[in-house]
Amino acid sequence: MEAFVLSQRASLKNSTLAALETSECLLAIDLPELTFQLQIKNPNGYLLRDNRLFWVLGRPELDVTSASRNELLDVLATNYATQGEFAFEALVGHFVAGVIDVPGERIIIVNDKFCTIPVYYHRSDCLFGASTQLKRLLEATALPRALNHQAIFNYIYFHCIPAPLTIYDGVGKLEPHRLLNSRIGADFYVRSYWKPVFHEETRQSSISLAQALRKNLALEIGKCASEGHKTGAFLSGGLDSSTVTGYLADLKETPVKTFTIGFSESGYDESAYADIVAKAFNTDHHVRYVTPEDICSALPDIAAYFDEPFGNSSALPALFCAREAKANGVDIMLAGDGGDELFAGNDRYAKQKLFLYWERLPDSLKCSVKAAV
């Protein structure tokens, strides 16, 4: 996993970043004022210019043109000289990016609009630290591991700990489309740099909207399929994963590898629907049935992987699906999320509609029905 660890303990004034230690996958700085380690899968993930270190993780793009990693960093550094932190707002895609700005005595970190890579951070009068892994942040900053009681309540209520809280006191988590700007002993703030806009009314016809949707699906899935990785699909048989599978199959010259998790309980098993889709698109299909014994054996591994309590049971079948894909030579798994909610709805929405009718009944009638039952 790509990750960084950053610990700033004093002003960056009069420091120099010229002496960078680099290896195949690691960029490191070790100064009295700053300890910085960046694990990078892409060796072109950073640029040093004018005693400023610009770096990117993930797959960032510029919103105006396609560019290589080197070109993107060059544009980012050039724009930063005149626009400051606003230069990062031109980035789109899947990324975490930032700059160690020695002349400006500040560190800036930016995540993407959907927070596809987590960023944990701590800020006090004499210390700032950040990392994409909570465990590494705690190790780099030697923070006490005091539990956040509000976060525990949130976990019980939501089955996760939503940002900006984390399970530990004194540690924050960036929400989506956030820019963090920090300077030791001076200003510190986190702000949103983007706001989604939804217009229910449109002059476009349903046909033109459908065409635009298909075009964007083909474009984004094509990007993932053309990056040199062996790409497969997590196929549940639902609307979104089936759509992704169809587009991916259309892009591949050989049958695309698809993977499904099956269960012995018929109410939870969707493998029959996935099989229909796999046959329709002629995929190289794999089904892995998960047993209670599998779940028990995997619990320690998955609990150790998550930095915080996480109660979504889908994490376990997703783990087995990923393992199955890896064993079959797949590096990247594509799936869909939100397609049912946006375009079709789920069965539970139909059930919920019945409860809405019930809520509209007069109280006297409700009491009569309850008494009869």
Side-chain angles (χ1 to χ4, degrees):
M1 173 183 288
E2 298 175 322
F4 70 91
V5 168
L6 170 68
S7 179
Q8 180 190 15
R9 297 182 178 274
S11 169
L12 294 174
K13 190 175 182 180
N14 300 324
S15 299
T16 177
L17 304 178
L20 297 176
E21 297 181 18
T22 60
S23 63
E24 183 178 355
C25 296
L26 181 67
L27 170 68
I29 301 170
D30 192 3
L31 301 170
E33 303 85 0
L34 176 71
T35 298
F36 178 70
Q37 292 184 337
L38 174 66
Q39 292 181 355
I40 47 175
K41 293 182 180 179
N42 190 321
N44 300 319
Y46 66 93
L47 172 67
L48 182 62
R49 178 181 294 178
D50 300 328
N51 210 17
R52 296 184 177 106
L53 179 65
F54 297 87
W55 54 269
V56 292
L57 297 177
R59 298 192 300 273
E61 302 174 32
L62 291 170
D63 62 0
V64 292
T65 181
S66 60
S68 67
R69 188 63 61 94
N70 286 336
E71 291 171 335
L72 182 146
L73 284 165
D74 182 70
V75 171
L76 184 61
T78 300
N79 291 344
Y80 183 82
T82 57
Q83 302 174 17
E85 66 181 41
F86 297 99
F88 287 93
E89 297 183 9
L91 295 178
V92 296
H94 152 68
F95 68 88
V96 171
V99 59
I100 300 174
D101 183 353
V102 171
E105 292 188 80
R106 66 183 63 250
I107 289 172
I108 295 172
I109 300 173
V110 184
N111 67 354
D112 62 46
K113 295 174 182 177
F114 291 94
C115 196
T116 58
I117 302 176
V119 177
Y120 301 93
Y121 65 90
H122 166 78
R123 161 76 181 194
S124 63
D125 291 339
C126 60
L127 173 65
F128 169 77
S131 176
T132 57
Q133 296 180 17
L134 181 54
K135 291 186 288 288
R136 296 190 66 193
L137 173 62
L138 296 172
E139 293 166 358
T141 54
L143 291 173
R145 305 193 180 192
L147 295 180
N148 185 315
H149 293 166
Q150 180 62 50
I152 295 174
F153 175 86
N154 289 355
Y155 170 69
I156 294 171
Y157 192 84
F158 297 112
H159 295 179
C160 67
I161 301 175
L165 295 184
T166 70
I167 189 62
Y168 297 114
D169 270 332
V171 181
K173 182 167 50 187
L174 280 189
E175 297 171 275
H177 49 82
R178 291 305 194 269
L179 182 146
L180 181 154
N181 190 319
S182 175
R183 187 167 59 168
I184 290 294
D187 57 311
F188 169 84
Y189 55 86
V190 176
R191 67 173 179 86
S192 172
Y193 64 86
W194 177 75
K195 182 178 180 180
V197 178
F198 175 72
H199 298 291
E200 188 171 358
E201 299 297 329
T202 177
R203 294 182 179 179
Q204 291 181 270
S205 68
S206 58
I207 294 176
S208 62
L209 289 172
Q211 290 173 340
L213 174 62
R214 294 189 181 101
K215 179 180 178 181
N216 286 326
L217 282 170
L219 176 65
E220 296 304 321
I221 294 171
K223 288 178 183 178
C224 297
S226 63
E227 291 184 346
H229 301 284
K230 296 178 180 178
T231 307
F234 179 16
L235 178 59
S236 69
L239 174 65
D240 37 21
S241 68
S242 300
T243 301
V244 170
T245 297
Y247 277 92
L248 189 60
D250 190 51
L251 293 167
K252 294 280 190 178
E253 295 181 358
T254 57
V256 62
K257 292 184 178 182
T258 54
F259 302 87
T260 296
I261 293 299
F263 301 94
S264 57
E265 294 81 4
S266 58
Y268 293 91
D269 186 40
E270 298 179 327
S271 59
Y273 298 108
D275 187 58
I276 293 172
V277 177
K279 290 178 179 178
F281 294 111
N282 191 33
T283 73
D284 180 6
H285 192 49
H286 304 258
V287 181
R288 168 71 156 85
Y289 280 88
V290 176
T291 66
E293 292 75 22
D294 290 330
I295 299 298
C296 289
S297 65
L299 277 175
D301 290 338
I302 203 159
Y305 174 80
F306 285 109
D307 279 323
E308 303 181 271
F310 183 68
N312 192 322
S313 59
S314 64
L316 285 160
L319 170 66
F320 285 101
C321 194
R323 286 178 174 175
E324 187 75 14
K326 190 68 176 179
N328 283 274
V330 171
D331 297 324
I332 290 181
M333 287 279 280
L334 301 184
D337 197 15
D340 290 327
E341 289 79 0
L342 287 170
F343 300 108
N346 283 319
D347 289 343
R348 66 176 180 270
Y349 299 152
K351 296 175 183 177
Q352 184 64 32
K353 190 175 181 179
L354 295 177
F355 288 108
L356 291 177
Y357 292 140
W358 168 260
E359 292 297 330
R360 292 171 185 165
L361 293 176
D363 289 340
S364 58
L365 185 55
K366 289 181 183 177
C367 290
S368 299
V369 173
K370 291 177 180 178
V373 174

